[in-house]
Amino acid sequence: MKLKVISAICLLLGVLFFSCQSDDEITFRRYYTTGNVVYQNRCQNCHGTDGQGLSALMPPLTDSVFLKANKASLSCFIKYGLKEKLLIVNKKPFDGDMPAMDLAPIEIAEVLTYVTNSFGNKMGIVTAQQVSDDLVKCK
Amino acid sequence: MKKLIGAIAIILSCSACKFNAAPTALPIYGNRTPVTKTVDGKTETDTIYQTIPAFKTVNQYGDSITNKSLDNNIYVADFFFTTCPSICPVMHRNMLTVYDAFKNEKDVKIISYSIDPKHDSVNILKKYADKLGIAGNTWWLLQGKKEEIYKLSESYLVRRPEEDAKQMFIHDGYFLLIDKQKRIRGTYDGTVPDQVNHLIADIKTLKAEPDQISGK
């Protein structure tokens, strides 16, 4: 009887522990999956199905070092676009314009979660709160 | 009896190979008009196929390019503009595979008509070509008179480009395969990689047709 009670409590604790942990995981999966759809609709034509870019016209999204270094600016790039700005991606210069994308902070968070965790990148979740904070500081 | 079966088997397997090797010809698209003439007292009926009419443009090197510049060439045509944020990057990512497949063949060309000639000057087109990574005279980016290019798009059986309220250009992403007689021999959705592979295969088939080899 004692053994049964102890094992039942252990099981309950175990379930609680794993369900708590997978909450974050579930949020991440949700962001990532929706982000994939946003990517297909708004980014993929230029940046490619595998984030490979297009020659020297469109920068690839595979440069993890660039993405980490510019983490706080990525939301601004998406929301307001880029004009006459030189970026060095994968050690190559890109100076083309990027059109502004009229997306809500949550959508930007989702697409950034997708991009920064695909194509060989692994930077974890980007939250809508982070995006809102970053957008305030856009130059 | 055994020998007979063996002989039949050999004949069948040989003929099977022959059937497989038979080349196919591509269809001819567009309007066609029958023309009846009298030659040496006999009436003969001939078919006139739709062809690409004359045009005058300038390429990314500033060279004048007309329909005559494409004489004796099989070519692939599309319509684009350099600042296009929607389908053009996909089209030209796919067109690069066509370019890579045929860049060393003298009688295959690619031409991309700009539908925004006001912005896409020779300089801009040259920069675009450099960034795309194309060189030489296989792939020409063409600037012409806007009205003429838009009218020309109808001869290529594609949607006539339009401008919407935001001054963006609406057009479709078709690649057109044109033969040495300037007839349309294939249309492919340039945004779909599978269709572009089909185009590459069709160019090879077309090149092997007798009247493409003779050019008449």
Side-chain angles (χ1 to χ4, degrees):
Chain A
M1 182 63 194
K2 211 176 184 185
L3 193 72
K4 266 190 185 169
V5 172
I6 290 172
S7 54
I9 290 170
C10 281
L11 193 71
L12 199 67
L13 282 175
V15 166
L16 276 176
F17 178 73
F18 281 108
S19 64
C20 286
Q21 203 182 39
S22 62
D23 239 16
D24 281 351
E25 180 63 22
I26 288 168
T27 311
F28 174 82
R29 297 305 317 173
R30 205 179 64 226
Y31 270 55
Y32 187 88
T33 313
T34 324
N36 186 6
V37 177
V38 178
Y39 183 82
Q40 283 172 24
N41 292 337
R42 310 298 288 267
C43 319
Q44 188 168 296
N45 280 337
C46 292
H47 293 290
T49 38
D50 304 313
Q52 76 273 38
L54 176 59
S55 305
L57 283 168
M58 315 287 177
L61 305 173
T62 53
D63 187 346
S64 296
V65 178
F66 174 89
L67 291 176
K68 274 186 195 132
N70 293 278
K71 199 170 183 226
S73 311
L74 297 178
S75 301
C76 304
F77 293 172
I78 294 172
K79 179 87 181 170
Y80 300 108
L82 289 164
K83 221 173 164 72
E84 285 158 20
K85 191 165 161 56
L86 177 75
L87 301 179
I88 308 293
V89 184
N90 280 356
K91 292 175 186 152
K92 289 190 191 114
F94 290 89
D95 60 358
D97 294 350
M98 170 164 151
M101 296 291 154
D102 189 22
L103 293 172
I106 177 74
E107 290 173 299
I108 295 176
E110 286 158 349
V111 78
L112 278 179
T113 300
Y114 176 75
V115 167
T116 57
N117 293 282
S118 301
F119 323 133
N121 306 313
K122 201 160 176 58
M123 289 165 59
I125 193 167
V126 179
T127 63
Q129 188 57 50
Q130 251 170 285
V131 169
S132 299
D133 293 348
D134 289 343
L135 284 178
V136 176
K137 290 175 236 152
C138 287
K139 280 167 213 158
Chain B
M1 187 59 193
K2 260 191 185 168
K3 270 187 188 166
L4 188 68
I5 292 174
I8 290 172
I10 290 169
I11 291 167
L12 278 179
S13 56
C14 285
S15 54
C17 294
K18 267 183 201 155
F19 283 131
N20 283 342
T24 50
L26 301 183
I28 300 170
Y29 292 99
N31 294 325
R32 50 189 69 186
T33 4
V35 178
T36 313
K37 336 175 245 200
T38 314
V39 183
D40 300 334
K42 286 180 215 160
T43 22
E44 285 180 358
T45 306
D46 211 350
T47 311
I48 306 288
Y49 292 98
Q50 179 174 332
T51 54
I52 304 302
F55 62 85
K56 273 173 89 176
T57 55
V58 177
N59 71 5
Q60 72 264 40
Y61 305 112
D63 300 332
S64 157
I65 301 296
T66 67
N67 50 311
K68 288 221 167 63
S69 319
L70 291 153
D71 284 355
N72 273 313
N73 279 284
I74 288 168
Y75 71 93
V76 182
D78 73 358
F79 293 82
F80 87 116
F81 59 107
T82 60
T83 50
C84 166
S86 54
I87 56 173
C88 311
V90 188
M91 289 163 63
H92 282 175
R93 187 181 289 121
N94 291 332
M95 192 68 100
L96 269 178
T97 58
V98 182
Y99 171 79
D100 285 333
F102 297 102
K103 63 183 169 193
N104 295 321
E105 300 192 22
K106 275 184 189 149
D107 58 349
V108 179
K109 288 208 187 308
I110 300 168
I111 56 171
S112 295
Y113 296 98
S114 168
I115 57 167
D116 183 13
K118 197 177 162 193
H119 176 267
D120 291 341
S121 61
V122 168
N123 261 337
I124 301 263
L125 291 175
K126 178 68 170 61
K127 259 190 207 157
Y128 182 88
D130 289 346
K131 285 185 177 177
L132 195 60
I134 61 171
N137 279 298
T138 300
W139 189 348
W140 288 330
L141 309 171
L142 303 177
Q143 181 199 30
K145 283 201 189 89
K146 190 166 156 185
E147 266 314 299
E148 202 181 311
I149 300 290
Y150 283 24
K151 183 119 187 45
L152 195 61
S153 72
E154 288 164 11
S155 310
Y156 281 104
L157 302 178
V158 298
R159 176 180 175 170
R160 192 186 166 101
E162 291 167 50
E163 284 171 71
D164 71 7
K166 287 186 200 159
Q167 295 285 300
M168 296 298 290
F169 298 86
I170 303 166
H171 63 123
D172 65 19
Y174 276 88
F175 291 173
L176 297 312
L177 177 58
I178 312 298
D179 69 10
K180 290 185 181 175
Q181 290 74 26
K182 305 196 189 296
R183 300 172 300 192
I184 303 170
R185 304 300 297 275
T187 67
Y188 314 83
D189 186 341
T191 61
V192 180
D194 272 357
Q195 293 223 3
V196 177
N197 290 334
H198 198 79
L199 163 63
I200 292 173
D202 278 358
I203 293 174
K204 288 174 187 161
T205 307
L206 183 59
K207 275 180 71 108
E209 284 182 18
D211 57 354
Q212 298 307 307
I213 295 166
S214 69
K216 285 186 183 131

